[in-house]
């Protein structure tokens, strides 16, 4: 009897789940700073200031605290949604990990390089089958969450989903 052939990475690849109950993100795509209220930003990580910048695909909002810890949120519309993020799961220099659902929406931690042990984490949350929003965390060594930045990215993503569900 021949030995079983080794599995290929394509056979082991995960497929992005569909997005249940897509959210209306139109008013936040060009104004991502509105996805977190000042109170939510303070609850996430004592964030006190924000500024909008131009991202690669759409505007991003960066919130910071007094110690230069930052949380950046941006929407990525019409770019394949979570399926595009899942395509990067075999990136050898980066990371990919399916996240528990965020506010009932599928999500994944990912990055082209892995900075999770040095205060960095990025999560993508599927809000339409063809759209995600991302939360990118950059924490200083002095941050109490430095060793677990993904907890902060998840907390920020949950707050953003709450806003999106409310249509605020």
């Amino acid at each position: 009897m021949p030995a079983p052939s080794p599995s290929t990475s394509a056979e082991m690849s995960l497929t992005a789940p569909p997005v249940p109950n897509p959210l209306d993100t139109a008013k936040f795509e060009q104004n991502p700073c509105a996805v977190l209220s000042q109170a939510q930003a303070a609850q996430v990580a004592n964030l006190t200031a924000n500024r909008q910048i131009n991202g690669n695909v759409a505007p991003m909002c960066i919130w910071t605290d007094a110690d230069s810890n930052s949380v950046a949120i941006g929407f990525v519309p019409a770019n394949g949604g979570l399926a595009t993020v899942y395509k990067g799961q075999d990136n050898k220099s980066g990371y990919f990990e399916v996240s528990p659902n965020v506010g009932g929406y599928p999500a994944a931690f990912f990055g082209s390089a892995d900075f999770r042990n040095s205060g960095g984490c990025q999560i993508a949350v599927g809000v339409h089958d063809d759209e995600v929003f991302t939360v990118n965390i950059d924490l200083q060594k002095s941050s109490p969450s430095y060793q677990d930045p993904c907890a902060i990215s998840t907390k920020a993503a949950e707050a953003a989903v709450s806003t999106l569900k409310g249509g605020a």
Side-chain angles (χ1 to χ4, degrees):
M1 186 163 148
S5 61
S7 295
T8 65
S9 61
E11 291 173 331
M12 301 302 287
S13 291
L14 301 170
T15 303
V19 174
N21 308 311
L23 295 168
D24 181 4
T25 59
K27 73 181 191 179
F28 299 102
E29 289 169 0
Q30 296 303 312
N31 184 16
C33 290
V35 80
L36 291 184
S37 68
Q38 189 58 52
Q40 286 172 313
Q43 289 174 342
V44 166
N46 203 28
L47 304 167
T48 56
N50 69 51
R51 72 185 193 289
Q52 186 166 307
I53 63 167
N54 291 324
N56 291 335
V57 177
M60 295 183 69
C61 186
I62 300 176
W63 281 268
T64 56
D65 68 8
D67 297 322
S68 297
N69 295 296
S70 67
V71 174
I73 297 179
F75 291 84
V76 186
N79 197 30
L82 212 49
T84 299
V85 174
Y86 270 60
K87 287 178 185 174
Q89 65 189 285
D90 295 325
N91 180 341
K92 301 298 183 223
S93 64
Y95 65 102
F96 174 88
E97 184 180 318
V98 175
S99 164
N101 282 356
V102 173
Y105 289 81
F109 297 107
F110 74 102
S112 57
D114 193 349
F115 296 111
R116 292 176 291 176
N117 289 326
S118 55
C121 185
Q122 185 165 285
I123 190 171
V125 180
V127 289
H128 290 276
D129 285 336
D130 195 34
E131 181 172 8
V132 296
F133 72 84
T134 61
V135 178
N136 191 358
I137 305 301
D138 185 15
L139 302 176
Q140 304 300 314
K141 284 186 179 181
S142 60
S143 170
S145 299
Y146 182 78
Q147 294 299 318
D148 189 13
C150 292
I152 299 297
S153 65
T154 300
K155 193 172 181 181
E158 287 170 349
V161 167
S162 176
T163 298
L164 290 167
K165 282 182 174 178

